[in-house]
Amino acid sequence: MAERVLVIGSGGREHALAWKLAQSPHVQQVLVAPGNAGTANSGKISNSAVSVNNHSILAQYCKDHNVGLVVVGPEVPLAAGIVDDLTAAGVTCFGPSAKAAQLEASKSFSKSFMDRHNIPTARWSSFTDPQDACKYIQDAEFPALVVKASGLAAGKGVVVARDKDEARKAVLDIMKDKAFGSAGETVVVEEQLEGEEVSCLCFSDGITVSPMPPAQDHKRLLDGDQGPNTGGMGAYCPTPQVSEEVLQEIKRSVLQKTVDGMREEGTPYVGVLYAGVMLTKQGPKVLEFNCRFGDPECQVLMPLLKSDLYEVLKNTLQADLSSSPVQWLENSAAVTVVMASGGYPASYKKGLEITGLSQVSEMGIQVFHAGTALKEGGGVITSGGRVLTVTAVRPTLESALCSANEGVAVISFPDAVYRRDIGHHAITYLTRTRGLTYKDSGVDIAAGNRLVDVIKPLAKATSRPGCNAELGGFAGLFDLKAAGFTDPILVSGTDGVGTKLKITQACGIHSTLGQDLVAMCVNDVLAQGAEPLFFLDYFSCGCLDVRVASSVIGGIADACQMAGCALLGGETAEMPGVYGPSDYDLAGFCVGAVERGAVLPRLKDIMEGDLLIGVASSGLHSNGFSLVRKILERSGLQYSSPAPFGQPGQNIGEVLLTPTKIYSRLLQPILRSGAVKAYAHITGGGLLENIPRILPPELAVDLDASRWRIPAVFSWLQREGSLSEEEMSRTFNCGLGAVLVVSKQDAQRVLRLLQAREEAWIVGSLAHKQPGAEAVVIRNLEQSLKDSPGRSPDTSVLQNGALHGEHSTRKRTRVAVLISGTGTNLQALMEQVKKPSSSAEIVMVISNRPGVMGLKKLFVCQVVDHKLYGSRAEFDGTIDKVLEEFGVELVCLAGFMRILTGPFVRKWSGECYRLEKN
């Protein structure tokens, strides 16, 4: 049964804990007291107004609200005995007891404890008299320059002095001027250690310790470790400075010794133990202990935790850590950057409005709130010193830092202060301690090899007659003869997907982009009448994320199968400095072939009076997205906002990322028939610029927008952007992804074939172009955009009288004809189905011989050459697949000279007939 969990605290640490707990299936709800704007009504997470200082009231609240677990974030309630009091009242609470929390609450106790148990630390002494402390600083044989308030000071009670005078001044500030209040009644003066400081945390069940990946906090306010000390301006994890050997040494000599010592002294330590450690030349030495998660260390640890946090906390409380290892993400790094109020850590303003939060979440970056509050009437405002922690998880430390900084750049509030160099110690360490590698420059060859391993089987699945789509060679081969061509002309096309990329990357939806890329190239090649044969892709990025790249290229492979072409090869280029760490770009290249006599457009055949058939688009396809993004910005909506267009339940991002339609399998048989004189792919330039590309210059286009269905997204864009008709039709496809030019005589036959599988309409006609007139005239576009989206237009009559369609309500049987010879039987069948009384229509002709005369006498045809198949069963299976694809109901064998297998005949029994010559 799922439980309710209460998190105590209001900072970024508590938001991170609540965020991670909410991911557990064991958790029904996470309450945060008092919480902040980030924990207010966010999915499973909500705030609670219960008092956390009165432990009796808190215990009763937990019982009344069926809280099964309390998790304490900050140190003050722990030192005040909240765990002891709640446990005594029967409420399960995660964290150390008040006695165990002395490790943090009293620096003097902590240092004495380390001495008693031989835990390595700096030389030290504690004082209640400031004069004694100053004398110790003056007389010490070592640099006694670190002055600490012994009590709790919110992580700010430490002064690392530059010299003895500054150290003595720190003593007087803390003890006489009460800089940290009662926390400074006792001070600890200790030796200044030299080395790298790291944060080593672990879960402890009182016996077993389970170390977390080491992290590093950045205490100083400004870049380069300048400025005053703070509660922490950022952190990163893991730290490369801590090798596995060193981490094991810290576990043995610090963490395990501490837990064993506390148990020996009768105070078992259960909870999170945090050791601030200095990596000195003599080995790791403890600077201080904390008795809880660090802030901001928690904000980088939680995103890297692979295990269920709720289960980990429960196992810790049940002394079961030894049998339940905690799992962490591998090959990942996390960076968090703190955004603080201007004036912090001194006085600062509150109530300043924060903008850009929703945009950052769309970048795959997690923002943990700290000093924030909800603004009355909507929005988020500042309410503390440290306001936000912006966290990114990426494959490398460098890319995580870049992404976190990119996220910070999007967020804005007046006088915000933040560092841009979080992790600089680690980056310096990596480049100084070993020879440079290609990976240091940002190029990960191993990641590239992993990607190839992932995509090899995807490419292999796209194999087709003519090639086997094996990756790994220097180039790909294609056998045109094996593909059934006799006198081919090669056709090539290349394209990208434009700034649709920006929306994909913002939404984190990468799998559909491959279809956009393939469609843009294949549909172009198709405009020459060519069959797409093979495809090549180019994927370039700033930092190779194998998960993202394999999702994109997997989508390309799927789309190649849809298009009937092989994914023959590609290039992955990792180019740090050219692209941002999370940015990538795409280009595609398609090669097709067409028999010499079938090249489109047939300009000499196109004439006045020919009709235009429009084939439906899926929406925007892959053009005009720079304008779309500008309109969206003006509207104030986000990609995650519910879409005012599209299907119910979709958000804007999902609708905009609807993939481009691939028209090859739909149009190829019709193009081969010769009934289509020209085909225009409606891509960049919209209707106005693409249709004239396939026409003789003396002809003009007359389109009627009332004849086709315009998707709702276009109406919304026109209205929100106040776009003119010309701007709409020059930028977008307005609902038509392809336009075919056909004669009046062939129009209805072609239309019926299209409408069996796709939305299509007769949308206009060709007329003689008058001098100075526009090449394309679109009537009724403005009104059609205003009309109710999704209407089904009547395609039977064009307003200019170009066609008066003859429609029959009688359903005609869909027939496929299989031939081998010259097609004389086929000719007789064609004449029969033309009669008005015919109850059949021929939707497909299949021949097992390329180049036979029969294929030129009907416009729907496909060659399935038996010589290219290893067995009769494989040959029959291919034919069967084609028949199903075209929705065939009846098969007619008209001089078909191959023996069909038993399974094929049995499947089509009653629907398969042989026509013999008289």
Side-chain angles (χ1 to χ4, degrees):
M1 179 178 173
E3 283 195 330
R4 184 174 282 118
V5 179
L6 173 64
V7 175
I8 304 296
S10 62
R13 166 183 51 214
E14 288 72 39
H15 188 182
L17 290 171
W19 171 81
K20 191 64 181 178
L21 284 165
Q23 296 172 19
S24 172
H26 306 297
V27 174
Q28 171 195 359
Q29 183 184 17
V30 181
L31 300 170
V32 186
N36 53 47
T39 55
N41 302 317
S42 175
K44 287 184 181 180
I45 307 171
S46 58
N47 290 338
S48 170
V50 64
S51 170
V52 297
N53 297 321
N54 188 318
H55 298 169
S56 297
I57 293 175
L58 183 61
Q60 190 59 49
Y61 172 89
C62 292
K63 293 177 181 179
D64 293 343
H65 292 81
N66 298 314
V67 172
L69 175 65
V70 176
V71 180
V72 184
E75 63 275 16
V76 173
L78 292 169
I82 190 172
V83 174
D84 308 74
D85 293 342
L86 292 182
T87 302
V91 177
T92 303
C93 187
F94 181 86
S97 65
K99 281 189 175 182
Q102 287 182 92
L103 281 173
E104 178 175 6
S106 171
K107 301 292 188 295
S108 179
F109 170 86
S110 175
K111 298 293 283 192
S112 298
F113 174 86
M114 285 187 270
D115 283 350
R116 289 197 301 274
H117 293 278
N118 198 28
I119 295 170
T121 187
R123 290 172 282 184
W124 69 285
S125 190
S126 66
F127 305 91
T128 55
D129 186 320
Q131 297 305 319
D132 292 343
C134 289
K135 187 175 187 305
Y136 180 81
I137 291 168
Q138 185 63 39
D139 297 342
E141 297 177 354
F142 51 85
L145 301 177
V146 179
V147 182
K148 298 180 177 179
S150 181
L152 297 176
K156 305 183 189 74
V158 179
V159 176
V160 181
R162 287 172 291 189
D163 53 40
K164 291 183 178 182
D165 288 340
E166 188 173 313
R168 286 193 293 267
K169 181 179 184 302
V171 168
L172 298 176
D173 287 344
I174 293 172
M175 301 191 78
K176 283 194 168 184
D177 297 340
K178 303 295 183 182
F180 302 111
S182 60
E185 291 177 357
T186 297
V187 297
V188 170
V189 179
E190 65 181 44
E191 173 187 12
Q192 182 181 17
L193 299 176
E194 292 185 359
E196 192 82 38
E197 183 178 348
V198 293
S199 303
C200 297
L201 290 79
C202 70
F203 295 102
S204 167
D205 61 11
I207 300 172
T208 302
V209 296
S210 178
M212 305 180 200
Q216 187 172 66
D217 184 12
H218 293 62
K219 288 293 187 184
R220 297 288 185 175
L221 180 69
L222 305 174
D223 286 349
D225 293 326
Q226 301 298 309
N229 213 26
T230 70
M233 292 301 294
Y236 67 94
C237 181
T239 54
Q241 304 92 310
V242 182
S243 66
E244 183 60 32
E245 181 182 0
V246 171
L247 184 59
Q248 290 304 315
E249 172 64 16
I250 293 170
K251 177 184 177 182
R252 182 192 65 78
S253 66
V254 176
L255 302 176
Q256 191 66 59
K257 267 192 175 183
T258 301
V259 171
D260 291 345
M262 293 294 285
R263 188 174 68 255
E264 289 168 9
E265 294 189 5
T267 310
Y269 192 99
V270 178
V272 168
L273 177 63
Y274 171 148
V277 176
M278 184 71 81
L279 304 178
T280 73
K281 292 180 179 179
Q282 295 76 37
K285 293 187 178 183
V286 177
L287 296 171
E288 64 177 358
F289 283 120
N290 292 325
C291 57
R292 36 68 191 181
F293 279 104
D295 186 343
E297 289 93 341
C298 188
Q299 290 91 304
V300 289
L301 286 165
M302 289 302 97
L304 294 176
L305 178 60
K306 189 175 181 180
S307 297
D308 183 317
L309 177 60
Y310 176 84
E311 292 179 359
V312 173
L313 301 186
K314 280 288 192 178
N315 291 335
T316 302
L317 292 171
Q318 294 164 5
D320 197 26
L321 279 177
S322 61
S323 60
S324 305
V326 181
Q327 302 295 319
W328 300 88
L329 293 179
E330 297 180 356
N331 302 314
S332 295
V335 171
T336 192
V337 178
V338 173
M339 299 185 72
S341 297
Y344 173 80
S347 60
Y348 49 82
K349 292 180 180 179
K350 297 182 180 181
L352 305 176
E353 186 167 3
I354 305 170
T355 60
L357 293 172
S358 57
Q359 289 93 321
V360 173
S361 64
E362 292 169 354
M363 297 166 63
I365 295 171
Q366 183 63 44
V367 178
F368 296 115
H369 289 235
T372 65
L374 293 177
K375 181 182 179 183
E376 200 171 320
V380 178
I381 55 175
T382 65
S383 66
R386 292 191 294 173
V387 178
L388 302 166
T389 50
V390 182
T391 306
V393 178
R394 297 292 185 265
T396 66
L397 177 63
E398 294 92 334
S399 60
L401 174 57
C402 286
S403 294
N405 284 340
E406 287 173 0
V408 168
V410 173
I411 300 171
S412 177
F413 58 89
D415 302 321
V417 178
Y418 51 88
R419 289 181 60 161
R420 298 166 180 81
D421 67 342
I422 303 301
H424 69 282
H425 289 288
I427 294 171
T428 301
Y429 171 84
L430 288 171
T431 54
R432 285 182 179 176
T433 56
R434 55 175 170 76
L436 288 173
T437 66
Y438 206 2
K439 188 173 182 178
D440 292 326
S441 70
V443 179
D444 190 342
I445 295 175
N449 291 336
R450 290 197 303 273
L451 177 62
V452 172
D453 290 339
V454 170
I455 64 179
K456 270 186 175 180
L458 304 178
K460 179 68 175 176
T462 68
S463 297
R464 53 153 292 160
C467 76
N468 59 12
E470 289 278 5
L471 299 184
F474 288 101
L477 302 175
F478 194 95
D479 186 343
L480 285 167
K481 188 174 181 181
F485 289 91
T486 55
D487 184 22
I489 291 178
L490 292 179
V491 179
S492 64
T494 182
D495 211 335
V497 294
T499 56
K500 193 171 188 177
L501 273 167
K502 299 291 286 185
I503 299 176
T504 292
Q505 291 163 11
C507 295
I509 302 173
H510 307 281
S511 58
T512 60
L513 207 58
Q515 182 173 332
D516 289 308
L517 186 67
V518 173
M520 295 301 288
C521 299
V522 165
N523 291 345
D524 279 352
V525 166
L526 200 62
Q528 305 298 145
E531 174 188 349
L533 302 178
F534 60 87
F535 191 85
L536 304 166
D537 71 87
Y538 178 81
F539 181 95
S540 55
C541 59
C543 178
L544 181 58
D545 185 327
V546 174
R547 178 187 61 83
V548 171
S550 59
S551 178
V552 172
I553 298 171
I556 291 172
D558 290 342
C560 283
Q561 288 187 291
M562 293 169 60
C565 62
L567 179 55
L568 198 54
E571 166 71 2
T572 302
E574 194 170 15
M575 297 189 287
V578 176
Y579 298 98
S582 58
D583 292 339
Y584 63 86
D585 200 358
L586 284 175
F589 313 87
C590 181
V591 174
V594 57
E595 296 291 355
R596 191 174 301 275
V599 175
L600 293 181
R602 302 201 312 270
L603 293 176
K604 292 181 179 179
D605 295 341
I606 300 172
M607 62 185 65
E608 185 176 0
D610 283 344
L611 299 181
L612 302 179
I613 295 179
V615 184
S617 69
S618 59
L620 291 165
H621 282 186
S622 299
N623 299 108
F625 277 90
S626 294
L627 179 57
V628 170
R629 290 165 50 236
K630 194 69 177 177
I631 293 171
L632 199 61
E633 180 184 328
R634 175 189 286 190
S635 73
L637 296 175
Q638 310 300 326
Y639 297 129
S640 57
S641 302
F645 42 79
Q647 299 299 316
Q650 286 185 302
N651 63 35
I652 289 175
E654 290 167 340
V655 178
L656 295 180
L657 292 176
T658 302
T660 308
K661 283 185 177 178
I662 298 175
Y663 294 114
S664 54
R665 291 194 185 273
L666 171 70
L667 294 182
Q668 269 179 251
I670 301 173
L671 298 182
R672 288 197 195 108
S673 72
V676 175
K677 300 179 181 183
Y679 150 61
H681 177 205
I682 310 303
T683 178
L687 295 167
L688 293 186
E689 295 187 5
N690 284 290
I691 301 177
R693 295 167 67 179
I694 60 169
L695 299 177
E698 68 272 13
L699 293 180
V701 177
D702 181 11
L703 293 177
D704 185 349
S706 68
R707 312 305 332 147
W708 72 85
R709 183 180 63 83
I710 299 179
V713 62
F714 296 108
S715 301
W716 184 85
L717 289 169
Q718 191 273 335
R719 183 175 63 254
E720 289 294 322
S722 301
L723 303 181
S724 66
E725 289 186 62
E726 181 179 5
E727 196 65 36
M728 284 295 298
S729 52
R730 193 179 300 280
T731 306
F732 301 118
N733 64 59
C734 295
L736 300 180
V739 172
L740 312 181
V741 179
V742 298
S743 68
K744 287 183 181 179
Q745 292 79 7
D746 290 327
Q748 283 299 314
R749 185 169 47 179
V750 172
L751 187 63
R752 282 198 302 270
L753 288 165
L754 289 170
Q755 289 178 338
R757 300 173 60 196
E758 183 58 85
E759 282 188 291
W761 312 270
I762 296 176
V763 296
S765 62
L766 299 181
H768 182 73
K769 184 182 176 185
Q770 299 300 321
E774 297 290 339
V776 178
V777 174
I778 307 176
R779 293 179 289 107
N780 300 315
L781 179 58
E782 183 176 4
Q783 187 58 45
S784 296
L785 287 166
K786 290 179 180 178
D787 286 347
S788 299
R791 74 196 193 293
S792 297
D794 176 16
T795 60
S796 62
V797 181
L798 284 176
Q799 290 183 1
N800 61 7
L803 174 75
H804 295 276
E806 181 179 334
H807 294 275
S808 171
T809 58
R810 179 177 55 189
K811 182 180 182 299
R812 306 178 84 189
T813 301
R814 298 172 62 81
V815 177
V817 182
L818 276 58
I819 66 171
S820 295
T822 58
T824 52
N825 283 336
L826 177 59
Q827 187 64 44
L829 286 170
M830 290 172 57
E831 296 300 326
Q832 178 61 35
V833 298
K834 286 181 181 179
K835 297 178 181 179
S837 60
S838 174
S839 60
E841 62 174 334
I842 298 174
V843 296
M844 164 60 63
V845 173
I846 298 176
S847 172
N848 65 307
R849 294 180 182 175
V852 297
M853 291 299 295
L855 291 180
K856 298 181 179 179
K857 296 181 180 179
L858 198 65
F859 58 78
V860 183
C861 54
Q862 187 156 329
V863 175
V864 182
D865 191 342
H866 61 279
K867 295 177 183 178
L868 302 178
Y869 294 87
S871 66
R872 286 168 53 198
E874 187 180 354
F875 171 70
D876 287 3
T878 301
I879 293 178
D880 182 55
K881 185 177 179 181
V882 174
L883 295 175
E884 288 189 345
E885 183 180 336
F886 278 81
V888 170
E889 299 170 296
L890 187 73
V891 179
C892 182
L893 308 180
F896 187 63
M897 305 303 291
R898 300 296 301 169
I899 299 174
L900 296 167
T901 59
F904 181 93
V905 174
R906 283 193 294 274
K907 177 174 179 178
W908 291 93
S909 177
E911 286 85 31
C912 187
Y913 299 90
R914 180 177 294 278
L915 182 66
E916 301 292 351
K917 234 179 186 179
N918 289 329

